[in-house]
Amino acid sequence: MSTEVSASAMTAPGDIHFQPVTLREGMVARPVVAPVLAGPLTTSAPVIPVRASPIGDERPGDGRLLLEVARRQAEMDRRERALEAREAQLQAAEAMTRGQISELTRLREEIERLVSKESVSADSDLDALVSLYVNMRPQQAAKVLERLEAPRAAVILLKIPERMAGPILAQMEPPAALAVTQEIAGRREAFRNPVP
């Protein structure tokens, strides 16, 4: 059952009628235009032209407001693009940094392996050199060691067993023996009092 709003109750004769509009189920309305709006313009008052805004708005000041809104929107869009570009640069820099860190880590591990290998090799060379001095007579070993720099001679003497190092040191020239002794004492002192 359909309830229809009567158009004749709301309109006067001569009104223009439009197609009925269904408002909701069971209700239909028929729009009409009043004769005052539909009829020809027959006023004696002069028609004053209204200057239209360049943006299409009739109120003064709204054009400037809309222009300001458009300008601000453009500025926000520009800033958003700049932020997106900066974010892309940051992501690229972060990826590059991660790559560099992994490369540095790999290089550090390789250097540590090489240092370890070289250290083992140097220790074995030093052990071989020490065994040569151990097999020499104290006078012969003393003559060779006193010609070495004090730090090198100290390293060798520290590796030689103490019962053999004492006679070698006793056979060295006094200035060379003193320099080696000071080097050994300085090394031991450094271990007792580490630098903070």
Side-chain angles (χ1 to χ4, degrees):
M1 163 174 109
S2 157
T3 305
E4 191 172 310
V5 177
S6 171
S8 60
M10 296 187 304
T11 61
D15 286 347
I16 299 173
H17 297 280
F18 294 98
Q19 293 293 324
V21 176
T22 304
L23 299 174
R24 62 179 177 185
E25 189 175 326
M27 292 199 70
V28 176
R30 293 186 185 186
V32 291
V33 175
V36 174
L37 296 176
L41 185 62
T42 58
T43 60
S44 60
V47 177
I48 301 171
V50 178
R51 193 180 84 191
S53 169
I55 303 175
D57 195 359
E58 300 293 328
R59 292 180 289 182
D62 283 353
R64 281 180 283 164
L65 180 64
L66 289 174
L67 285 173
E68 181 64 20
V69 168
R71 185 190 67 75
R72 288 188 182 181
Q73 182 64 42
E75 178 66 19
M76 288 172 54
D77 290 345
R78 184 191 65 75
R79 286 183 181 177
E80 185 177 348
R81 285 191 302 274
L83 285 173
E84 288 171 356
R86 185 174 180 136
E87 184 178 349
Q89 289 174 344
L90 286 174
Q91 288 174 350
E94 184 179 335
M96 187 174 71
T97 302
R98 271 190 252 120
Q100 288 175 342
I101 288 172
S102 65
E103 177 66 15
L104 287 173
T105 302
R106 185 190 66 76
L107 287 172
R108 185 189 70 204
E109 290 169 356
E110 185 176 332
I111 288 170
E112 286 173 353
R113 273 194 309 273
L114 290 172
V115 166
S116 175
K117 182 179 176 183
E118 194 62 33
S119 177
V120 168
S121 177
D123 283 347
S124 65
D125 289 347
L126 183 60
D127 290 341
L129 186 61
V130 166
S131 68
L132 288 174
Y133 281 102
V134 166
N135 290 324
M136 294 170 78
R137 289 190 313 224
Q139 296 89 352
Q140 292 172 324
K143 292 286 181 201
V144 175
L145 285 176
E146 67 188 13
R147 292 175 188 246
L148 289 177
E149 297 170 353
R152 290 182 188 222
V155 169
I156 294 170
L157 275 176
L158 286 172
K159 287 277 205 171
I160 295 175
E162 289 179 12
R163 63 179 171 75
M164 301 174 104
I168 293 173
L169 191 59
Q171 293 292 321
M172 291 176 72
E173 291 290 326
L178 177 64
V180 171
T181 303
Q182 287 175 336
E183 182 68 29
I184 292 172
R187 287 173 184 237
R188 295 197 190 272
E189 190 66 29
F191 285 113
R192 284 191 199 120
N193 300 320
V195 177

